[in-house]
Amino acid sequence: MELLRVNRVNHFFGGLQAVRDFDLTLREGELLALIGPNGAGKTTVFNLISGFYKPSEGQILFMGKNTAGLRPHAVTALGLARTFQNIRLWNSMTVLENLSISQHYRLGYGFIGSILWNKSVRESERAARTSAEELLEVLGLNDYVDEYPKNLPYGLQRRVEIGRALTIKPKLLLLDEPAAGMNPNEIDQLIELIRWIREKFKLTIWLIEHQMRVVMSLCERIKVLDFGETIADGTPAEIRNNPRVIKAYLGDEG
Amino acid sequence: MEKQDYIWLCVLALVVAVLPLAIRNDYYIGVCVFAALNCLACIGLSLLMGYAGQISLCHAAFIAIGAYSSAILTVKAGWSPWTAMGAGIGFTAIIALFVGVPSLRLKGHYLAMATLGFGSILHIVSVAAVPLTGGPEGINNIPHLNLFGLKLDTDKHWFYFGWSMAILGLYFALNLIHSRIGRGLRAIHGSEDAACSLGVNTAASKILIFIISAVYSSVAGSFYAYYVRYIDPGPFDIMHSILLVTMVAVGGMHTIWGAVIGSTILTLLPTFLSYVSEYFKEIGFEYTPDYDILLYGGILLSIMLFLPDGLLDGINRLRNKLARFVIYPKKTT
């Protein structure tokens, strides 16, 4: 089934065209990579899809619904989660609290419940805590439930951030350079984790990545951006031998 | 709410209950009533500043809206004090919505400027709209507040009533920050992008907390009007807004308790300083009252210099330092 369709999206920052005629069809269960040199517009594409930017032109259909112009929290509510290039965990909150935010936002109680803190509020709070603890257990983070994220090693912080994104029960997960700044060992664990959550939560994953090891070992399909334009779309083998891709990354021969 | 908060709430209630036994002078009781009212306003402001990370330099204006609504509706329209106060709350909420929607799009200094502007506009209106507000002469003969048939007409009544309301407001605020709304606010403070990527409606949350904190101020304003029974534009100027922000900052922005401590200390400090000068006068060491202001400024300055995270944080750090000197008996196995 088709999960995401992007039709001829253009985006301008003033006079600068950051994304040009971006097209994409993403089917359920796919694992797609978006690669390209620095400044190619990859993160801009993510920001457009997740509602942080409103596209200047074009259409974004997520599960058949046009999301162009929706605010990020509304896009999230449809089942689209994302992580950020530089980890944005809440360092003043514990790991458990970090994983509780989105769940607490789904709790039914309103303002009156919030200030009176009656019985039904207490019960739904307890249920939310339990489900966050379960997710941490599944991700192998149960030793760090009450730890503050800034005290964790980088690889684990990334794991917490991915776990946090999973709390909204997404259908599509956008990962913005998940392997950035990781050592080879951490990268291996990350590849394992992505494979595993994809199976376990039946996710469609779209990632931006510079680490070719991650891209080549995980993805069935790769899209290449350069100066906002799509210059290639295909299997890893096709991309590896595509002359335009090689030119974009390495420059002209001679 | 956490266990510790419950304990401190009980401690505060206990202190409030016994304090009038220790203070004989009605004037000092009156100062404590003002401390309670400032405390109420500061709790609201602390929700906005400490938890949502937004600044407001117009909370005195919300106090003024509460006070003037109560005064005008009771004196000129003959409403009952409680209904007038309710109308004041509704009125404040609507105005806060209209001020909040455009200005909360701004950040940092710009938000401070926008709210400062609103605050001074409202102050000018209260001075200039003579038919409505009485202008600089203000409004006189505001009726007493009745509590279940008990007329609140002495300082002691107001002391208990004011502090009960402050404690109730504190209880609501402490619940709020541990609820999903409060967690959402802390998330916005930490990283707005991350918060909205997890489904927190950042704009709506910020406006909601702005309205709540304005309502806290409005209630404090209504009580002020019923306690003093005379209002004029004087106490609601920009300087009072800045004083409220200072109280929250001095106490410590990171917890609601900081607002309680900051507002109480800064309200009582001038009275305490003049009391001290009386004492020095008695032992034959007289100085002009100007030195009180100098001392007050000096104390503020040293708090901000040496305890930039507020008094409460300073107390915690001191406690941690002292804890290192405690020698625990060695466990014998």
Side-chain angles (χ1 to χ4, degrees):
Chain A
M1 205 191 92
E2 191 180 290
L3 190 67
L4 180 74
R5 178 193 281 275
V6 184
N7 279 336
R8 301 187 71 80
V9 163
N10 284 290
H11 194 66
F12 300 89
F13 292 117
L16 176 81
Q17 182 152 20
V19 177
R20 187 191 299 270
D21 288 339
F22 190 84
D23 278 311
L24 176 79
T25 312
L26 199 59
R27 281 183 305 281
E28 220 166 279
E30 266 191 297
L31 209 166
L32 172 80
L34 183 65
I35 64 170
N38 287 328
K42 305 182 295 293
T43 300
T44 307
V45 169
F46 266 23
N47 283 338
L48 289 166
I49 305 289
S50 55
F52 281 85
Y53 299 153
K54 186 178 192 285
S56 310
E57 287 162 19
Q59 208 183 17
I60 300 168
L61 294 167
F62 181 60
M63 300 204 305
K65 197 170 183 297
N66 191 2
T67 64
L70 284 186
R71 300 248 310 283
H73 68 91
V75 178
T76 303
L78 294 172
L80 191 147
R82 70 170 291 180
T83 64
F84 295 90
Q85 196 169 343
N86 41 346
I87 295 179
R88 292 192 195 167
L89 290 167
W90 293 298
N91 283 322
S92 59
M93 298 188 214
T94 63
V95 168
L96 184 80
E97 282 179 306
N98 267 277
L99 264 75
S100 303
I101 292 292
S102 71
Q103 299 187 21
H104 284 294
Y105 249 77
R106 294 169 158 220
L107 299 178
Y109 69 86
F111 173 65
I112 300 296
S114 300
I115 60 170
L116 293 180
W117 207 253
N118 48 2
K119 196 170 168 226
S120 68
V121 172
R122 282 198 295 272
E123 273 165 12
S124 58
E125 286 283 331
R126 211 171 301 141
R129 193 188 155 95
T130 318
S131 87
E133 275 171 347
E134 278 168 8
L135 184 62
L136 284 171
E137 174 119 35
V138 167
L139 291 171
L141 290 164
N142 34 352
D143 289 344
Y144 309 102
V145 171
D146 292 319
E147 194 60 72
Y148 289 92
K150 58 171 180 271
N151 301 335
L152 299 182
Y154 192 81
L156 286 181
Q157 288 190 22
R158 199 47 103 174
R159 196 174 267 257
V160 173
E161 204 194 16
I162 292 174
R164 190 177 70 176
L166 291 175
T167 58
I168 72 149
K169 302 195 169 60
K171 299 203 169 50
L172 173 60
L173 179 61
L174 307 182
L175 300 172
D176 197 345
E177 293 198 31
M182 284 188 172
N183 62 36
N185 190 16
E186 287 173 327
I187 289 178
D188 286 338
Q189 287 173 359
L190 179 79
I191 293 172
E192 267 313 296
L193 177 71
I194 294 177
R195 252 192 211 127
W196 186 75
I197 58 169
R198 184 188 177 198
E199 283 293 311
K200 166 102 182 159
F201 297 96
K202 309 248 173 323
L203 285 175
T204 311
I205 295 175
W206 180 5
L207 54 86
I208 293 175
E209 194 46 76
H210 279 302
Q211 294 283 347
M212 282 307 130
R213 196 143 64 89
V214 178
V215 176
M216 293 302 171
S217 63
L218 274 175
C219 303
E220 296 105 28
R221 205 176 130 204
I222 298 171
K223 218 170 156 61
V224 190
L225 273 189
D226 191 25
F227 292 111
E229 242 177 309
T230 309
I231 57 169
D233 189 345
T235 62
E238 283 167 3
I239 297 299
R240 226 185 298 234
N241 301 318
N242 186 315
R244 281 191 75 185
V245 176
I246 295 167
K247 191 182 147 199
Y249 269 92
L250 302 175
D252 271 320
E253 266 180 81
Chain B
M1 218 160 71
E2 283 159 19
K3 212 178 198 170
Q4 224 182 355
D5 291 329
Y6 273 113
I7 295 168
W8 283 113
L9 264 185
C10 293
V11 170
L12 181 63
L14 209 67
V15 170
V16 168
V18 299
L19 204 61
L21 302 177
I23 305 174
R24 293 270 173 237
N25 189 330
D26 267 357
Y27 172 72
Y28 293 129
I29 296 272
V31 174
C32 291
V33 175
F34 286 121
L37 300 182
N38 281 333
C39 180
L40 204 52
C42 283
I43 290 167
L45 191 57
S46 163
L47 285 174
L48 184 72
M49 284 170 62
Y51 289 87
Q54 313 294 317
I55 193 165
S56 158
L57 290 177
C58 64
H59 265 55
F62 293 126
I63 297 181
I65 294 171
Y68 272 104
S69 305
S70 297
I72 292 168
L73 289 174
T74 50
V75 173
K76 300 196 172 168
W79 291 28
S80 91
W82 287 104
T83 334
M85 187 177 123
I89 290 173
F91 199 44
T92 308
I94 292 166
I95 290 183
L97 181 69
F98 278 107
V99 175
V101 169
S103 40
L104 290 175
R105 288 164 173 262
L106 306 170
K107 287 191 173 104
H109 301 313
Y110 298 102
L111 179 63
M113 288 299 285
T115 52
L116 188 73
F118 169 70
S120 51
I121 288 170
L122 214 100
H123 186 243
I124 291 166
V125 168
S126 68
V127 175
V130 178
L132 191 66
T133 64
E137 284 174 23
I139 299 173
N140 238 322
N141 287 326
I142 301 168
H144 285 293
L145 196 62
N146 267 306
L147 187 69
F148 306 120
L150 175 75
K151 203 182 200 184
L152 298 174
D153 55 359
T154 67
D155 288 322
K156 215 165 251 180
H157 284 165
W158 269 99
F159 176 86
Y160 283 120
F161 178 71
W163 276 104
S164 310
M165 288 297 122
I167 289 172
L168 191 67
L170 186 59
Y171 173 75
F172 285 158
L174 287 168
N175 275 339
L176 185 74
I177 56 173
H178 287 105
S179 74
R180 64 184 190 93
I181 294 174
R183 252 182 300 261
L185 288 173
R186 280 190 290 161
I188 292 171
H189 196 175
S191 160
E192 207 164 322
D193 286 348
C196 60
S197 84
L198 285 160
V200 178
N201 187 343
T202 51
S205 305
K206 280 198 270 184
I207 288 164
L208 177 71
I209 201 67
F210 190 68
I211 292 174
I212 292 170
S213 84
V215 165
Y216 267 89
S217 290
S218 165
V219 171
S222 293
F223 289 154
Y224 173 84
Y226 296 137
Y227 171 58
V228 181
R229 300 185 57 220
Y230 161 76
I231 56 169
D232 67 75
F236 309 121
D237 60 353
I238 300 297
M239 284 320 290
H240 194 65
S241 292
I242 293 169
L243 181 66
L244 290 174
V245 171
T246 316
M247 284 171 173
V248 174
V250 161
M253 246 188 270
H254 303 293
T255 87
I256 299 277
W257 289 102
V260 178
I261 290 179
S263 57
T264 311
I265 288 181
L266 286 200
T267 314
L268 302 184
L269 193 58
T271 313
F272 176 73
L273 289 177
S274 64
Y275 182 78
V276 169
S277 75
E278 292 283 320
Y279 173 76
F280 275 113
K281 202 158 122 190
E282 265 172 41
I283 61 168
F285 183 78
E286 203 169 331
Y287 54 84
T288 59
D290 292 349
Y291 285 107
D292 287 352
I293 299 166
L294 198 66
L295 258 171
Y296 182 82
I299 290 171
L300 268 190
L301 192 69
S302 22
I303 290 174
M304 288 337 276
L305 270 179
F306 300 113
L307 304 168
D309 286 326
L311 279 174
L312 208 61
D313 181 67
I315 293 168
N316 282 338
R317 271 193 297 176
L318 189 71
R319 204 176 56 188
N320 291 341
K321 264 195 190 142
L322 289 179
R324 279 191 300 164
F325 293 108
V326 177
I327 300 163
Y328 294 100
K330 268 184 189 162
K331 274 184 195 153
T332 47
T333 45

